Amino acid sequence: MKKQMLIWIFSAAIFIFGTQVVYAADEPAKFTWHGYISQGITQSVDSNFITSDNDITGELTELGINGHYRLTNNLSVAGQVVYLDGGNRFEQGARVDYLFLDWSINDIWGWQGQVHLGRFKNRHWLYSVTRDVPQTRDTAVLPQSVYFDSFRDVALGSDGIQTSFKRYSNDNIWEVNWSYGSSDINEAQKNFLLGNIASGEIEQDFVHQFSVFWQPSTMAWKLGLSWLESDFTYQASVMDNRFDGEANIRRFMFSAQYFSENWQLSSEILRELQNSQGLFAPNFRERRTAEGGFVQFRYLFNSKVSGLVSYDTYVNNVSDPDGKQLEQSSFGQIPAYFGYVDTIAVGARWDFAPGWRIQAEHHWVEGATRAVSLLDPNIKDRSDKYWRMWSVQLMYWF
């Protein structure tokens, strides 16, 4: 927390100082802002992933204001404040998605660079930099193998530093990104990781990421590789059902996109290594490897209407792909289908007026490893093996 407070104070100080520099130089400040309003209806049937008790609800609300303030020609501040209600997927309420100092570097040996200091946005995955804005997402619920909604706030960005460098040539476009920081873990995320009986404090010590993307000059293709490593620490309270512990996560991912005049194809494949100790018992040790990914096809019927179909899969432990060992080790308390998840989704959207869109989608799911916490004491009642979810969303942006 102290580190994050220092980052916020430093960003605010730069903002104030930069403003004074702008006015002292008698240059007009340039401020731009945008916003969006999105409301929908949704239902998860036979699962508590979004709604409970098979209810049809309006828990699909997104409101956001973002702004960009230019201090000098190569120095600016960008930020976004949002209000979210996504049902059971993440914590309801307002939050600052990002607020960072943006320093643009025009030329370093032919590379164009940017440095972000503060609460920056994750640039390392195909949709990580756009998942916070409804009109830039292909679906309201992104493929959960990669874009796990229960950790939306942690994965969206971090408090720290991020650099991005691009190089344009006659034949190729290269992009190299690096970042280091950490994020707060809220109560809902702690409960998902350790169960709602955990009364201590959990912190993300750091998250270190690197990615590289390549495109031909035609920009028809985009290929990328990314790496992530993160450490978490749990400090148990005096009266706690959990123990002091720590966990390490490493993620390796391959990303690919193809753009045609009338259709787009996207895919990401990940391998995630998880190593934890303590937490559930003083001598508890667990090493496991998860794998997953998605492939998504979008067809543009015209400039206003498009359709989508996707397949998404995730296995919680590659040594137990059908979840049978998970069920045995929990003495039957956790059904085997909580060890994996496979999802087929279809969707459509219509931009019926400038700044207006209506979007609909339906997901058919087998398995539930991403649906609810595996430590929920009533996990059998939280999801069936086969379930589905759908939504219809109206959005306006300006």
Side-chain angles (χ1 to χ4, degrees):
M1 293 297 293
K2 291 181 179 179
K3 178 180 65 176
Q4 294 167 1
M5 288 180 65
L6 288 174
I7 292 173
W8 285 103
I9 292 171
F10 180 73
S11 298
I14 291 294
F15 180 88
I16 295 170
F17 174 76
T19 304
Q20 297 304 314
V21 170
V22 169
Y23 284 120
D26 198 28
E27 296 179 358
K30 292 190 176 181
F31 175 72
T32 59
W33 67 282
H34 301 279
Y36 56 84
I37 302 172
S38 178
Q39 179 60 55
I41 57 172
T42 185
Q43 179 190 31
S44 51
V45 182
D46 298 328
S47 171
N48 282 16
F49 177 66
I50 302 178
T51 62
S52 303
D53 302 320
N54 291 346
D55 290 340
I56 299 175
T57 74
E59 295 174 297
L60 195 60
T61 304
E62 298 179 72
L63 311 174
I65 296 290
N66 56 68
H68 182 272
Y69 184 78
R70 193 181 77 175
L71 304 174
T72 65
N73 287 335
N74 64 345
L75 198 64
S76 59
V77 174
Q80 177 170 277
V81 179
V82 300
Y83 171 84
L84 299 177
D85 183 4
N88 301 328
R89 290 181 293 156
F90 38 71
E91 193 170 74
Q92 176 186 353
R95 67 262 276 157
V96 177
D97 268 347
Y98 59 88
L99 177 61
F100 58 83
L101 183 71
D102 181 0
W103 176 33
S104 298
I105 306 170
N106 293 328
D107 187 28
I108 300 180
W109 301 297
W111 291 80
Q112 308 298 314
Q114 283 184 301
V115 178
H116 294 166
L117 180 65
R119 177 165 293 178
F120 58 83
K121 294 181 69 176
N122 180 358
R123 299 176 63 94
H124 301 282
W125 314 334
L126 287 181
Y127 301 116
S128 57
V129 77
T130 59
R131 67 180 299 183
D132 58 309
V133 180
Q135 68 268 20
T136 60
R137 290 196 308 265
D138 288 331
T139 48
V141 178
L142 291 171
Q144 293 299 288
S145 61
V146 177
Y147 303 94
F148 189 24
D149 277 342
S150 290
F151 288 88
R152 180 253 187 208
D153 295 340
V154 175
L156 179 65
S158 304
D159 296 329
I161 183 172
Q162 177 171 254
T163 63
S164 179
F165 293 91
K166 287 187 177 182
R167 182 181 179 89
Y168 299 86
S169 67
N170 293 332
D171 300 318
N172 304 295
I173 302 172
W174 288 95
E175 178 180 347
V176 179
N177 306 302
W178 170 86
S179 65
Y180 187 91
S182 64
S183 298
D184 286 335
I185 307 296
N186 61 40
E187 195 69 17
Q189 292 160 351
K190 183 183 75 173
N191 291 344
F192 198 98
L193 285 170
L194 298 173
N196 55 16
I197 62 174
S199 57
E201 294 185 0
I202 184 171
E203 291 186 356
Q204 184 183 51
D205 301 321
F206 72 88
V207 57
H208 193 184
Q209 296 193 75
F210 177 82
S211 61
V212 57
F213 290 91
W214 168 83
Q215 288 182 281
S217 57
T218 61
M219 301 183 69
W221 280 95
K222 184 175 184 179
L223 303 177
L225 294 171
S226 64
W227 164 87
L228 174 152
E229 181 165 5
S230 181
D231 277 1
F232 297 84
T233 300
Y234 181 74
Q235 183 176 356
S237 64
V238 176
M239 302 294 292
D240 202 338
N241 288 289
R242 296 289 182 250
F243 296 83
D244 291 351
E246 56 189 33
N248 172 267
I249 296 176
R250 293 181 182 179
R251 172 185 278 196
F252 305 90
M253 191 155 67
F254 170 73
S255 305
Q257 275 186 315
Y258 180 77
F259 304 93
S260 178
E261 181 178 357
N262 295 322
W263 57 273
Q264 302 170 3
L265 185 66
S266 304
S267 180
E268 289 184 293
I269 301 171
L270 68 87
R271 183 176 178 89
E272 198 168 76
L273 288 68
Q274 302 181 28
N275 182 15
S276 57
Q277 58 186 17
L279 302 173
F280 305 107
N283 59 348
F284 176 81
R285 298 286 189 278
E286 183 185 51
R287 291 177 179 268
R288 63 182 175 88
T289 300
E291 287 184 345
F294 69 89
V295 58
Q296 180 172 277
F297 175 81
R298 174 171 289 283
Y299 186 81
L300 287 73
F301 297 99
N302 54 51
S303 61
K304 297 181 179 180
V305 180
S306 65
L308 172 144
V309 60
S310 73
Y311 173 72
D312 182 34
T313 183
Y314 183 81
V315 174
N316 190 55
N317 189 343
V318 295
S319 299
D320 183 29
D322 54 10
K324 291 182 179 179
Q325 296 177 24
L326 176 66
E327 184 171 3
Q328 292 172 359
S329 63
S330 66
F331 302 100
Q333 294 301 308
I334 304 177
Y337 61 83
F338 280 90
Y340 63 91
V341 62
D342 296 309
T343 305
I344 295 175
V346 297
R349 67 187 186 195
W350 174 33
D351 297 337
F352 58 91
W356 286 92
R357 173 179 297 165
I358 188 166
Q359 183 166 287
E361 62 198 74
H362 201 124
H363 305 246
W364 291 267
V365 189
E366 177 185 352
T369 192
R370 293 295 211 184
V372 300
S373 172
L374 296 182
L375 297 175
D376 191 316
N378 300 311
I379 189 170
K380 290 183 177 180
D381 301 326
R382 303 308 187 199
S383 181
D384 291 348
K385 181 177 180 179
Y386 299 97
W387 55 283
R388 58 189 178 89
M389 55 184 169
W390 62 267
S391 67
V392 178
Q393 195 173 19
L394 177 67
M395 56 192 75
Y396 169 70
W397 61 95
F398 51 91

